[in-house]
Amino acid sequence: MANEKDDRYEQEPMDHKDAQLEVERKKNTGGDRHLTDDNGVKVSNTETTLRAGKRGPLVYEDVHFYRKQTAFNRERIPEKYYTSGTNRSLSGI
Amino acid sequence: MIEEEDATNYDFDILDDTKFWPEEVVPVETIGKMTLNRLMDNFFAEEEQSAFDPSSLVPGIDFTNDPVLQGRIFAYRDTKLYRQNSANINDIPVNRPINERNQNTRNSYQKHPIDTDPVHFHKNSLQENTPREASEEEGGFGHYPEKVEGHKSSEVPSDSFEDYFSQPRMFWNSLTTVEQKDLLETLTFHLQKVKSKSVREQNVNMWVNVDKDMATALAENLGVEPPTGSHVPVTESSEAISLANTQPSAFTKKVAVLIGNDFNDEEVEKTLSALKEEGAFVHIVSDQLGEVKGTNGTALQVTDTFLTTHPTLFDSLYVVGGISKNQQKFDDQVQEFINMQYKYFKPIGIATTGAKYLAKQDQEKLVGVVLAEGNSGFEEEFVAAVVKGRFWERQ
């Protein structure tokens, strides 16, 4: 289903910069779009990992899990609050 | 701890880390003690750079096939590789082991040891094949040879992985009425922020599996249709789940002493030492830093001011009151503390000099408010109230 709230794709570019950015804008959801990996190959299962037997350990060749995880592991985390100097209290968050 | 042969004898799958092991079914055993004994000196060096990682194992410990743990074995190290931008994570002092390290790895930035060996590979003849591997008998790490069966598979390990509501229902059954009410408020707080009515409705229809009355009340709070269906037919509960069943104590509770000048020295000193004796942390809160003095000259160092602290940061109040340069403002702040502490069900002790902050007609009927006026057992009563912690009867 189309995201009705997101009408950027139907709008005329506001200015030259916006026209330049418009080329990069991309939708992943809606219509009959399928989930793919970063090579554009359709993914049949993104919910569970591949294991050596149903009750066995994760296997290294589960590249979909591996790549998804490497992207997730590279999220930027804002530095935590802290105080320094004589107070030396524990971090706030 | 569960013996290997009992692994499949429970109605939850021990490989499913979204399930808890009820303490009544698998009793808690103490296997070690970790003591937090100092604060860090440099936040970045010691906290931001510290790398906790479930894959740092010692001999005798190995992984289960819990799929989430299996994923974490990779994820923690990978995250650190990105954040430190180096493979030499364990060269950073906070991560460096106490044990001797002898490795053949030489690369990556932030390499601290300057390895002087003529070779850095295994096997080698030039250094007589050292550093050599240690057998398990010599203390080398070895994996447990657990049996693995079947085909490569992405199927869930067992059907009980898809039982999403039995344990949440058990959790709900185990809560006291106060805790249930609090949980409903928490869900309401989060879901009232959700703009999509459809998502709010879907949530209500998910929570109905846990408790029908709760989900119905939630639906009303969220302005959506009441749920259809009902909760899963689970009647069990676990005593260990409810916080109401933990042993109450005054140990480490924070008590704000709201105080100005001209307090009654003896009375305040007695109360403060009674609190400290039970291990409570006493904060002297006034409108300015410096000292406040009793009528007989006892001086107390102010630790926090009305400006720098907040009533919700304390477990209890001891209202002494007193003289201040800006009396009206001082009194307003004391009143604000009292109102908020009372609202959050917390115990309040009122010294003889603090009685003016409570209207006469209120003094009798307020629950969990201990008055010193004409009360020879004040200290014990107040400490007992601090131990109790919350007075839910106020609801």
Side-chain angles (χ1 to χ4, degrees):
Chain A
M1 222 176 72
N3 185 348
E4 282 163 16
K5 270 195 184 157
D6 193 351
D7 59 356
R8 281 177 303 177
Y9 305 95
E10 285 75 46
Q11 285 173 358
E12 288 297 310
M14 288 184 293
D15 50 36
H16 291 305
K17 187 68 201 175
D18 196 46
Q20 184 191 39
L21 295 176
E22 178 62 22
V23 180
E24 301 295 331
R25 288 185 185 133
K26 140 132 209 14
K27 249 182 162 179
N28 298 291
T29 55
D32 61 351
R33 289 183 174 92
H34 285 101
L35 183 70
T36 71
D37 67 12
D38 54 0
N39 286 321
V41 176
K42 286 179 205 158
V43 172
S44 64
N45 175 9
T46 192
E47 295 286 323
T48 53
T49 50
L50 185 67
R51 275 154 286 122
K54 224 165 96 149
R55 299 185 65 77
L58 179 69
V59 293
Y60 208 58
E61 67 185 52
D62 188 354
V63 289
H64 178 58
F65 168 75
Y66 179 92
R67 289 189 188 179
K68 199 169 142 180
Q69 194 67 54
T70 46
F72 179 80
N73 294 345
R74 274 148 192 77
E75 72 169 342
R76 296 308 307 238
I77 313 243
E79 202 164 319
K80 299 177 204 95
Y81 292 110
Y82 68 98
T83 56
S84 58
T86 50
N87 186 14
R88 298 206 309 187
S89 57
L90 295 166
S91 60
I93 288 181
Chain B
M1 282 200 280
I2 288 178
E3 294 299 327
E4 194 177 357
E5 58 266 28
D6 296 334
T8 53
N9 291 350
Y10 301 96
D11 53 12
F12 51 88
D13 191 331
I14 64 163
L15 299 189
D16 182 353
D17 82 339
T18 68
K19 302 286 174 7
F20 63 92
W21 301 0
E23 287 182 28
E24 290 83 1
V25 180
V26 185
V28 172
E29 283 176 63
T30 305
I31 56 165
K33 182 179 175 186
M34 182 161 77
T35 307
L36 305 177
N37 59 1
R38 66 175 186 89
L39 297 176
M40 66 218 152
D41 293 305
N42 180 314
F43 178 80
F44 198 89
E46 296 177 89
E47 179 167 319
E48 285 291 287
Q49 293 196 118
S50 66
F52 286 86
D53 180 356
S55 69
S56 291
L57 295 182
V58 293
I61 297 184
D62 206 349
F63 303 112
T64 66
N65 293 336
D66 160 4
V68 174
L69 174 62
Q70 292 280 323
R72 287 179 197 271
I73 295 168
F74 166 70
Y76 279 75
R77 195 67 176 183
D78 186 47
T79 303
K80 273 302 170 190
L81 288 172
Y82 167 64
R83 292 190 190 163
Q84 316 285 25
N85 201 17
S86 158
N88 295 315
I89 296 160
N90 286 16
D91 279 357
I92 297 168
V94 72
N95 299 323
R96 197 181 296 157
I98 310 286
N99 282 358
E100 178 180 314
R101 292 186 298 167
N102 303 306
Q103 295 172 282
N104 288 325
T105 48
R106 295 289 182 267
N107 296 322
S108 190
Y109 289 106
Q110 298 164 56
K111 176 79 178 162
H112 284 227
I114 303 168
D115 309 292
T116 57
D117 313 277
V119 292
H120 52 84
F121 46 83
H122 188 90
K123 302 176 167 180
N124 67 65
S125 63
L126 298 178
Q127 291 298 104
E128 295 168 330
N129 202 22
T130 59
R132 63 181 182 82
E133 295 160 321
S135 67
E136 286 185 44
E137 291 69 35
E138 291 173 294
F141 183 90
H143 286 280
Y144 178 71
E146 190 185 344
K147 193 175 176 192
V148 174
E149 283 180 300
H151 298 273
K152 283 186 205 165
S153 172
S154 301
E155 278 177 64
V156 290
S158 66
D159 292 345
S160 76
F161 266 69
E162 287 166 326
D163 172 8
Y164 303 119
F165 297 108
S166 294
Q167 283 202 343
R169 173 74 187 156
M170 180 187 180
F171 182 87
W172 177 261
N173 291 342
S174 309
L175 299 181
T176 59
T177 312
V178 167
E179 289 168 315
Q180 288 182 341
K181 211 170 155 185
D182 188 69
L183 184 54
L184 171 62
E185 248 177 59
T186 304
L187 295 174
T188 302
F189 168 79
H190 288 285
L191 291 169
Q192 280 182 343
K193 290 169 182 277
V194 173
K195 300 275 182 282
S196 161
K197 191 179 176 190
S198 155
V199 171
R200 294 202 303 273
E201 211 153 55
Q202 289 173 58
N203 260 280
V204 165
N205 284 314
M206 192 260 299
W207 287 110
V208 75
N209 293 289
V210 178
D211 188 73
K212 177 146 191 173
D213 289 346
M214 182 262 275
T216 307
L218 185 62
E220 200 173 318
N221 293 347
L222 301 180
V224 300
E225 288 297 307
T228 51
S230 190
H231 44 253
V232 293
V234 172
T235 52
E236 284 100 339
S237 59
S238 160
E239 261 188 38
I241 287 171
S242 171
L243 285 178
N245 296 326
T246 50
Q247 188 62 39
S249 154
F251 189 62
T252 74
K253 293 254 176 81
K254 281 171 72 177
V255 182
V257 182
L258 307 185
I259 194 165
N261 285 306
D262 290 359
F263 56 86
N264 182 324
D265 305 54
E266 196 194 343
E267 182 189 343
V268 170
E269 279 181 329
K270 261 172 76 179
T271 308
L272 297 194
S273 51
L275 288 166
K276 286 176 186 167
E277 216 164 278
E278 294 299 315
F281 295 142
V282 170
H283 290 240
I284 307 296
V285 182
S286 194
D287 51 357
Q288 287 179 316
L289 288 181
E291 284 180 346
V292 284
K293 280 197 169 141
T295 45
N296 287 338
T298 304
L300 293 173
Q301 281 293 336
V302 177
T303 55
D304 305 82
T305 68
F306 295 122
L307 192 63
T308 62
T309 193
H310 193 267
T312 52
L313 298 176
F314 295 95
D315 298 298
S316 177
L317 280 191
Y318 176 41
V319 182
V320 181
I323 306 299
S324 159
K325 275 185 191 147
N326 188 343
Q327 197 65 43
Q328 185 59 50
K329 199 172 172 200
F330 179 92
D331 291 345
D332 287 350
Q333 306 266 32
V334 171
Q335 205 64 60
E336 196 184 316
F337 262 72
I338 294 175
N339 293 345
M340 203 172 274
Q341 287 275 308
Y342 193 81
K343 181 182 164 193
Y344 290 114
F345 317 103
K346 293 176 182 176
I348 300 171
I350 309 273
T352 51
T353 46
K356 67 167 182 171
Y357 294 103
L358 286 183
K360 269 276 172 286
Q361 69 272 21
D362 285 344
Q363 295 192 3
E364 296 299 311
K365 61 177 190 210
L366 294 178
V367 185
V369 179
V370 186
L371 299 162
E373 189 70 58
N375 181 358
S376 58
F378 171 75
E379 292 86 36
E380 289 105 72
E381 261 184 62
F382 180 44
V383 168
V386 174
V387 169
K388 185 172 172 194
R390 296 288 181 111
F391 290 82
W392 303 113
E393 308 90 292
R394 287 177 200 164
Q395 280 190 355

